Amino acid sequence: GAVVSQHPSRVICKSGTSVKIECRSLDFQATTMFWYRQFPKQSLMLMATSNEGSKATYEQGVEKDKFLINHASLTLSTLTVTSAHPEDSSFYICSARGPENIQYFGAGTRLSVL
Amino acid sequence: GENVEQHPSTLSVQEGDSAVIKCTYSDSASNYFPWYKQELGKRPQLIIDIRSNVGEKKDQRIAVTLNKTAKHFSLHITETQPEDSAVYFCAATANQAGTALIFGKGTTLSVSS
């Protein structure tokens, strides 16, 4: 079936550094990808919609200057958490709409900011 | 925008019993309703989905029902097994290009043997 690859799976960084997370659709093209954030024991909250070749659409309350999204090709979207702080520690998951309009998820990235 | 409510938040059953999780949605434009199973620290896995042109779908021990008029859909798991223990999320979307899945808050299912 369709596969979405997400890297890295785990990041531990110091406060103030920036972290880049990659999301790739391996066997299909995705003009749109989605970024979610999940806190422990909570649901997946949509952060933004990544659009190939254009600006991302951010959900209310999500700082676009904090969470930079780039979707430069039909198979790759990146999320950069800039100047990360401990409150940014979370599980970040991307998804892409694949064959038969089913959304496939990446394996997620667990970010821990010290 | 879409809002999805999910109940219950936790559900404990004995092995072999049935489990039912219910969701409601607000946007009448939504036409695709998937259910995901998520184990701790892992990605959500699609277990079953239903589109608005059908009222029920079944796959072995799992079934989903949809009532478009009332805007609610339910997941039914029969003959539960310990390996069914996980967090289950319902979601809804208009499933057009550019529209994201909106998730319910999740149900933690515990199946004891």
Side-chain angles (χ1 to χ4, degrees):
Chain A
V3 176
V4 173
S5 174
Q6 184 174 342
H7 293 281
S9 58
R10 180 77 191 259
V11 178
I12 302 173
C13 69
K14 293 182 178 180
S15 185
T17 59
S18 293
V19 175
K20 180 185 281 189
I21 303 169
E22 292 188 349
C23 181
R24 294 178 186 274
S25 56
L26 295 187
D27 49 4
F28 64 96
Q29 294 183 333
T31 55
T32 305
M33 293 184 178
F34 306 97
W35 288 95
Y36 292 86
R37 182 174 181 175
Q38 187 176 32
F39 289 107
K41 298 185 179 181
Q42 293 191 23
S43 186
L44 290 86
M45 299 302 297
L46 179 66
M47 297 176 65
T49 300
S50 174
N51 304 299
E52 187 268 334
S54 64
K55 292 182 179 180
T57 304
Y58 290 82
E59 295 300 300
Q60 191 173 7
V62 178
E63 300 176 57
K64 60 181 181 181
D65 295 330
K66 173 75 171 177
F67 300 99
L68 299 179
I69 291 173
N70 184 275
H71 195 150
S73 77
L74 287 171
T75 59
L76 173 64
S77 174
T78 60
L79 169 68
T80 301
V81 183
T82 61
S83 187
H85 291 285
E87 57 266 29
D88 298 323
S89 299
S90 189
F91 193 51
Y92 294 88
I93 311 179
C94 68
S95 74
R97 195 190 307 280
E100 299 182 9
N101 261 344
I102 292 173
Q103 287 223 21
Y104 296 90
F105 286 85
T109 299
R110 184 161 303 283
L111 172 63
S112 300
V113 185
L114 305 178
Chain B
E2 178 63 275
N3 182 51
V4 178
E5 299 285 340
Q6 181 172 348
H7 299 280
S9 56
T10 60
L11 180 58
S12 297
V13 300
Q14 291 287 323
E15 182 177 3
D17 288 349
S18 294
V20 180
I21 303 171
K22 298 182 179 182
C23 288
T24 60
Y25 63 99
S26 62
D27 190 348
S28 56
S30 290
N31 57 11
Y32 176 63
F33 308 92
W35 286 87
Y36 287 85
K37 176 182 181 182
Q38 187 180 30
E39 297 178 352
L40 191 63
K42 297 188 177 180
R43 78 183 84 193
Q45 296 281 2
L46 178 70
I47 57 171
I48 196 167
D49 58 11
I50 190 166
R51 300 179 193 272
S52 59
N53 57 345
V54 297
E56 184 174 359
K57 184 177 178 180
K58 190 174 181 179
D59 182 3
Q60 299 183 334
R61 296 188 296 110
I62 296 173
V64 57
T65 58
L66 170 65
N67 183 328
K68 280 193 64 180
T69 302
K71 294 197 185 73
H72 65 71
F73 56 113
S74 301
L75 177 71
H76 304 252
I77 305 174
T78 58
E79 300 173 29
T80 54
Q81 301 166 3
E83 50 265 40
D84 293 330
S85 297
V87 181
Y88 291 81
F89 292 100
C90 63
T93 182
N95 214 29
Q96 300 163 357
T99 55
L101 287 172
I102 303 301
F103 286 86
K105 291 189 183 301
T107 296
T108 300
L109 174 64
S110 300
V111 182
S112 53
S113 55

